Amino acid sequence: MQSIRKNAKFILLFMAFAFILWIFLELGMNIAGVRVGKPYQRGIIAEIDGKQISFDFYQNILNELIENERERKGELSDMDMAILRKRAWEELLWRVRFTKIQEQRDLIVDDNLLNTIIYSTPPPEIMKDPSFWKGDSFDVKKYREFLKDPASRQIVLTYARTIMRSYPIALMNVDITSALHITQEEVSKDLELKLTKYSFKYFNIRFYKIPAEIFKYNEDSLRKYYEKNKDKFKKKESFKIAYIFVKFEPSKRDTDVVIGDLDEIRGMILNEGLSFEEAIKTYSMVNKYKKDTVFISKEKNKKFKVLSKYKVNEVSKPEIIGDTVFLFKIIKKDKKTVKYKAIALLITTSYDTRAELREKAKNLLEIAKTEGLKKAAESYKMKYNQSKEIPMDLPFIPGIGKYKSIKEWIKKGKKGDMNLFWTPEGYYVIEILDKVPETYLSFDEAKRRVKSSFLRRKRKEFAEKIAYKILNGESYEKQYVEYREFKQVDFYKPVVGLYIPESILGALSSMGVGERRKIEAPGGIVVLELIEKMPPSADEISSRLNEYFQKYLSEIQSKVFNAFQSELKSEEGVKDYRSSLLE
């Protein structure tokens, strides 16, 4: 005890130092950002080409899409929301990548440019408004006054956002166009080829028209073919999974809430003097049913059976049809039609229900880890889904869809692994049942494929022999050949009855009169014989050149721009944390 008293000062100092050191190392490093959790634990929804993107950025995009869609449709269904979540994800990828391009290429709309565009180019809805026109002239003065009016603020802000989004894209399109360097002279040559009139003989030998019965073969010949071409008969890397799908769908409580709301509205109509027409304007949440409109339901329509129960001028009880609950007022009816008005509210999955479904999915995973996925499904009386073998290179998972995060987990995982995934439609609890590496199929396993491949080669060889005879002017097996003679046709518009027209035009344009040529085609061989070639006149080319040039340029631009847009939305180089963050 005496020794402890003597050293108590040093012991206390050591404990204090250790405590301060712990605070510095354990807490200070987190505060300083030296030691951090996983990205999704810090609110990161994705890493796109190495850049971390916050959940808030994604949520803002989603909210923007929801707001626009509500303006168009009114209340949104669960299916609408699932579609919007997918669109928001694509939009997120697009915006992040395009913003980087904007910065690199200085495609920025600053305040001065924005004001110039707004003042010089009115929004489409203003241009369509007759009150802004004096005869054939746009009233610029009135438009300037409109811009200064505080009541116009929301319209102007919406237009400004549209410009901020669309103008850089337009500039990018101009950049793409200028980079193409397509001249009228080049296009003129293409137009000349398409306006040239050709007369030619056309021999089309399709492999499928050659019957297998004309070839002699047996199991030995098939086996020899298999041994020589073993690489053709590989079984691709594949996997099997089992899964439980916890769908985002309204609970009975969610449905009862909507029914209760409509019961209350019905009571106000029947007992408090509220007119049905006023109730439509005030309470109906689906745009189609927000106006005082009379609808007609015919005998075969789903609504007809429900509507026919009620008398004329009667207000129905709440009726559920699909994901919507209706109050109907019958205007007129006969045996085959019912005219009615309606108040409509959508049944949607509430936040409380979504939270319950999330817990349910988590519980299913925990039960599956100890008792197996099938038992977990049974414990909640849910469907246990088991896939067949799925090729690893298939771009989607049958029954689930195209989700890169799930596919990557399967690729990296092993048999027996289980995980929970969030998707816009609901939660998937997945188990990897099996993973099979790429292997050679045995002859017996591949026998059907071997026979098909063997006959395909035989048919091609036979078709080659027929083509050789035609090229050399010899007699040939006409029963296997489609023969036609085309006279003075051009390729400016599609030619009916021609297989692979672009390849045929390419061949005819470089052939001399009397020449025959063979063209390889998917599933067949085509032989051509040029009889006559009549180039267009200079006047004919010049009369169509401007229109053709614009169309040609537009098609090229569209293809390039669409490819560019697809690249911006590509999942390559993306780490998707939605399942971890939104679970």
Side-chain angles (χ1 to χ4, degrees):
M1 286 295 289
Q2 193 68 24
S3 173
I4 291 172
R5 285 195 190 99
K6 282 182 181 179
N7 295 304
K9 178 181 175 183
F10 298 106
I11 292 168
L12 289 171
L13 283 171
F14 175 77
M15 289 176 66
F17 175 75
F19 179 68
I20 291 167
L21 187 64
W22 174 79
I23 289 173
F24 174 76
L25 292 175
E26 192 67 23
L27 302 180
M29 288 177 77
N30 279 339
I31 293 166
V34 176
R35 182 163 67 194
V36 292
K38 293 180 179 178
Y40 56 81
Q41 292 172 326
R42 292 179 284 111
I44 301 300
I45 196 167
E47 289 183 45
I48 302 172
D49 303 330
K51 183 176 181 178
Q52 294 190 337
I53 309 301
S54 71
F55 171 76
D56 289 343
F57 186 47
Y58 164 82
Q59 190 62 48
N60 288 340
I61 293 172
L62 179 59
N63 290 342
E64 186 182 314
L65 293 176
I66 290 169
E67 185 181 334
N68 292 339
E69 196 70 0
R70 277 184 177 151
E71 282 181 16
R72 192 175 71 86
K73 293 181 73 173
E75 195 173 7
L76 302 178
S77 68
D78 284 350
M79 184 179 289
D80 292 328
M81 288 301 299
I83 291 167
L84 289 179
R85 288 187 181 97
K86 287 182 179 179
R87 278 179 55 195
W89 176 251
E90 288 185 351
E91 184 71 12
L92 175 74
L93 301 179
W94 188 93
R95 286 195 192 182
V96 169
R97 286 174 172 148
F98 191 74
T99 299
K100 186 178 179 181
I101 291 168
Q102 276 185 272
E103 292 167 356
Q104 290 171 342
R105 301 185 67 84
D106 196 26
L107 304 173
I108 306 299
V109 181
D110 59 24
D111 290 345
N112 288 334
L113 179 56
L114 183 62
N115 288 331
T116 301
I117 294 170
I118 290 172
Y119 271 85
S120 62
T121 312
E125 59 266 40
I126 298 299
M127 293 297 290
K128 290 175 185 176
D129 189 338
S131 67
F132 283 88
W133 289 83
K134 290 180 178 178
D136 293 334
S137 302
F138 184 75
D139 191 340
V140 176
K141 185 180 178 183
K142 185 173 182 179
Y143 175 58
R144 297 284 164 84
E145 289 169 358
F146 167 83
L147 292 176
K148 292 174 184 176
D149 187 350
S152 308
R153 178 178 170 78
Q154 192 55 50
I155 294 173
V156 176
L157 285 174
T158 302
Y159 185 42
R161 282 197 293 269
T162 302
I163 293 168
M164 295 288 286
R165 171 78 192 277
S166 61
Y167 192 74
I169 297 171
L171 290 176
M172 191 68 206
N173 215 350
V174 171
D175 277 4
I176 289 170
T177 303
S178 60
L180 292 174
H181 298 299
I182 297 171
T183 65
Q184 272 204 349
E185 186 180 349
E186 292 171 314
V187 177
S188 176
K189 290 176 182 176
D190 187 74
L191 177 59
E192 183 180 349
L193 290 179
K194 291 197 171 178
L195 288 176
T196 298
K197 295 188 184 300
Y198 301 93
S199 296
F200 58 95
K201 292 178 181 179
Y202 170 81
F203 306 83
N204 186 9
I205 313 158
R206 301 297 295 271
F207 299 155
Y208 76 89
K209 289 189 175 181
I210 302 170
E213 291 75 24
I214 69 171
F215 305 114
K216 292 181 181 180
Y217 63 94
N218 55 31
E219 188 157 322
D220 285 343
S221 52
L222 292 178
R223 194 178 289 276
K224 284 176 185 176
Y225 179 78
Y226 164 78
E227 292 296 339
K228 284 182 181 177
N229 300 276
K230 216 169 181 180
D231 281 346
K232 290 184 177 181
F233 308 111
K234 286 181 178 179
K235 185 178 182 182
K236 292 181 178 180
E237 183 185 8
S238 63
F239 63 91
K240 284 184 182 179
I241 58 168
Y243 64 90
I244 305 168
F245 179 42
V246 183
K247 186 180 180 182
F248 290 138
E249 56 186 354
S251 63
K252 185 179 181 301
R253 180 180 65 242
D254 295 333
T255 303
D256 289 344
V257 166
V258 179
I259 290 171
D261 289 343
L262 280 176
D263 267 329
E264 191 175 331
I265 294 165
R266 184 171 185 264
M268 291 162 68
I269 294 167
L270 297 178
N271 305 318
E272 298 177 22
L274 176 69
S275 72
F276 196 89
E277 291 68 26
E278 189 60 36
I280 289 172
K281 294 174 186 176
T282 308
Y283 298 109
S284 201
M285 298 300 291
V286 181
N287 272 7
K288 182 180 175 181
Y289 298 101
K290 275 187 172 182
K291 293 180 180 178
D292 182 12
T293 305
V294 176
F295 297 92
I296 299 173
S297 179
K298 295 187 178 180
E299 195 173 9
K300 292 181 180 179
N301 190 285
K302 287 181 182 178
K303 291 191 182 81
F304 184 83
K305 192 174 180 180
V306 174
L307 292 163
S308 58
K309 296 187 299 185
Y310 297 100
K311 298 174 183 177
V312 173
N313 289 326
E314 186 177 1
V315 176
S316 75
K317 294 177 181 177
E319 295 283 0
I320 300 172
I321 299 174
D323 59 0
T324 310
V325 186
F326 291 93
L327 279 186
F328 296 113
K329 182 180 178 182
I330 311 304
I331 306 302
K332 191 177 180 181
K333 62 184 285 192
D334 56 40
K335 290 181 179 179
K336 292 189 175 181
T337 59
V338 177
K339 291 184 178 181
Y340 66 94
K341 294 180 179 181
I343 301 165
L345 298 180
L346 281 173
I347 309 167
T348 57
T349 309
S350 65
Y351 286 109
D352 287 345
T353 299
R354 284 178 181 271
E356 288 167 8
L357 292 172
R358 181 177 65 243
E359 289 307 309
K360 184 178 185 178
K362 287 181 176 180
N363 290 341
L364 283 164
L365 180 62
E366 291 307 310
I367 296 168
K369 284 178 178 177
T370 55
E371 300 180 39
L373 194 64
K374 199 168 188 177
K375 286 283 186 186
E378 289 170 1
S379 69
Y380 275 93
K381 296 181 180 177
M382 297 187 73
K383 186 179 179 183
Y384 172 80
N385 303 278
Q386 189 170 323
S387 77
K388 296 179 180 179
E389 279 193 15
I390 302 169
M392 192 66 79
D393 60 359
L394 197 69
F396 63 94
I397 302 171
I400 294 178
K402 192 176 179 180
Y403 292 106
K404 188 185 173 191
S405 56
I406 298 177
K407 198 69 179 288
E408 284 184 345
W409 171 74
I410 292 169
K411 280 183 180 178
K412 293 175 183 176
K414 60 184 184 299
K415 182 178 177 179
D417 283 357
M418 296 183 188
N419 209 344
L420 169 62
F421 292 91
W422 174 93
T423 72
E425 297 87 11
Y427 296 100
Y428 286 92
V429 184
I430 304 175
E431 178 184 3
I432 300 174
L433 296 179
D434 198 11
K435 287 182 76 175
V436 181
E438 184 178 73
T439 55
Y440 287 102
L441 291 168
S442 69
F443 174 74
D444 288 333
E445 288 174 320
K447 194 170 181 179
R448 186 176 292 179
R449 280 172 59 184
V450 171
K451 183 180 175 181
S452 176
S453 179
F454 174 83
L455 288 172
R456 195 181 307 119
R457 193 187 72 172
K458 285 290 183 184
R459 286 185 171 106
K460 186 177 181 182
E461 289 171 352
F462 189 74
E464 292 277 5
K465 288 176 183 177
I466 295 174
Y468 178 82
K469 291 174 184 178
I470 295 170
L471 288 167
N472 289 282
E474 300 173 13
S475 62
Y476 60 91
E477 295 81 350
K478 292 183 179 179
Q479 66 269 36
Y480 308 127
V481 181
E482 176 197 346
Y483 171 75
R484 289 185 67 184
E485 191 170 324
F486 290 86
K487 292 185 177 181
Q488 294 191 356
V489 297
D490 64 52
F491 289 77
Y492 189 73
K493 292 180 180 177
V495 182
V496 178
L498 269 189
Y499 187 47
I500 54 164
E502 289 296 325
S503 299
I504 287 172
L505 172 60
L508 290 171
S509 64
S510 61
M511 287 168 64
V513 172
E515 183 183 347
R516 290 182 178 184
R517 188 175 295 182
K518 181 184 78 171
I519 303 172
E520 298 280 349
I525 295 171
V526 172
V527 178
L528 303 171
E529 180 184 343
L530 182 62
I531 299 169
E532 186 183 25
K533 185 189 292 187
M534 296 175 61
S537 66
D539 287 344
E540 194 177 356
I541 293 171
S542 63
S543 67
R544 299 197 187 190
L545 183 56
N546 283 336
E547 180 189 348
Y548 185 75
F549 178 72
Q550 293 304 322
K551 183 184 174 186
Y552 187 93
L553 197 61
S554 176
E555 286 176 358
I556 296 293
Q557 287 172 349
S558 181
K559 285 176 184 177
V560 172
F561 194 70
N562 287 341
F564 170 67
Q565 294 279 36
S566 296
E567 188 136 337
L568 293 182
K569 294 177 182 178
S570 167
E571 298 254 354
E572 290 300 315
V574 176
K575 292 181 180 177
D576 181 358
Y577 300 129
R578 283 179 295 173
S579 278
S580 301
L581 189 63
L582 300 174
E583 69 173 22

